[in-house]
Amino acid sequence: MRTSLVTILFVMLTSGVLAQSDTLRQVSGFRGDIVDFTIDNLGNVLTLDRNNQLKKMSARGDSIAVFNNVRQYGKLDFIDATNPLKLLLFYKSYGNIVVLDRLLNMRTTLNLRKLNILQVPAISQSYDNGIWIYDQQEAKLKRLDTEGIVLDQSADFRVVLGLNPSPVQIIDQEKLLYLYDPAKGVFIFDYFLTLRNKVALLAWDDFQVVDGIIFGRKGTTILQYQPGTLSLKEQAFPQQLAGVTKMKLSRNLLYCLKNGSISVYAL
């Protein structure tokens, strides 16, 4: 069984390995007045700057591609780089989804409003290169192809769950779907769209799933939860991470956004 990187991080934290401000070793960084970023599973970094320029860079900092038409479709709310060959840009206010290839060339666009899907708080790439969306108006999780055809959908959550979540994130990983609503918690479904678990992990930022373990932060506290257990671990930031506004884990690296720059640390 693979050891989770999140578990490694927490072992280091709780054992005091990261107790001093200089114990996290910075291995690289990215600058450029960055306001948001994400990473793919090949180690590439996607950054959005204040001028609404989207850049793709290698782990070594080499420029791979640039996309300058970010504002053409509204305000960009979410970047999904789950598939390094296909990038999804989500513009929540206008219901636009833009699909880019690995070099940030336009492949297609999808307007959810034209499909009469009017209230979508979150989207994600699906296991079959489709798109998961949560249709909050109908209270259903739906899987679409890139033409907008509904391939699968859940029952009405108001009927089966007795509530209508407003997820800020959907994650498709290892045959499970995670819907995260900071006000209601995390809902875990299988690919048959059957609820497997619900946990009240409230008001978390930077919600991630790494090797089946849920990771996030709340203010200056790092959190870890193992689904199916009562094990919730909390640990204050190492001092050198104070002021970080976004964190992401990838393989053996920790990416932190602070003051417009990304610092990359080795774990």
Side-chain angles (χ1 to χ4, degrees), residues 24-203:
L24 272 178
R25 180 172 62 90
Q26 184 172 344
V27 294
S28 64
F30 302 85
R31 302 185 183 277
D33 208 13
I34 299 166
V35 296
D36 196 9
F37 80 99
T38 192
I39 52 179
D40 65 25
N41 59 15
L42 298 180
N44 299 312
V45 180
L46 286 299
T47 65
L48 179 69
D49 66 21
R50 292 189 186 278
N51 295 319
N52 292 297
Q53 185 179 69
L54 182 66
K55 296 181 181 179
K56 181 177 182 178
M57 292 174 284
S58 71
R60 296 177 299 180
D62 299 325
S63 178
I64 297 175
V66 175
F67 181 67
N68 288 306
N69 295 327
V70 172
R71 291 288 292 182
Q72 180 178 348
Y73 301 93
K75 177 185 176 295
L76 179 60
D77 293 286
F78 182 67
I79 307 166
D80 188 326
T82 304
N83 181 349
L85 303 180
K86 186 180 76 172
L87 190 72
L88 297 184
L89 307 182
F90 181 44
Y91 300 81
K92 184 163 55 176
S93 298
Y94 295 92
N96 287 318
I97 300 174
V98 176
V99 183
L100 307 178
D101 67 16
R102 66 183 183 86
L103 296 178
L104 306 189
N105 297 310
M106 182 82 68
R107 290 180 58 180
T108 187
T109 62
L110 182 64
N111 184 271
L112 298 174
R113 291 184 176 181
K114 292 182 178 179
L115 302 175
N116 201 33
I117 303 175
L118 305 178
Q119 193 174 355
V120 177
I123 71 164
S124 171
Q125 300 198 50
S126 69
Y127 62 91
D128 60 350
N129 289 322
I131 302 171
W132 290 109
I133 69 165
Y134 184 68
D135 184 340
Q136 195 165 24
Q137 188 173 34
E138 295 188 7
K140 293 181 179 180
L141 181 63
K142 298 179 178 180
R143 181 167 57 88
L144 313 179
D145 65 14
T146 54
E147 301 298 320
I149 297 173
V150 178
L151 303 175
D152 198 6
Q153 61 182 319
S154 70
D156 188 323
F157 283 9
R158 293 167 295 193
V159 175
V160 298
L161 302 180
L163 49 79
N164 189 0
S166 183
V168 297
Q169 196 162 357
I170 303 172
I171 295 174
D172 182 335
Q173 187 181 111
E174 297 182 0
K175 298 182 180 181
L176 291 174
L177 295 175
Y178 301 78
L179 271 69
Y180 184 61
D181 179 343
K184 296 182 176 69
V186 58
F187 301 80
I188 305 175
F189 298 85
D190 59 27
Y191 280 169
F192 296 103
L193 301 180
T194 301
L195 182 67
R196 299 279 297 274
N197 203 353
K198 177 184 180 297
V199 188
L201 306 178
L202 306 180

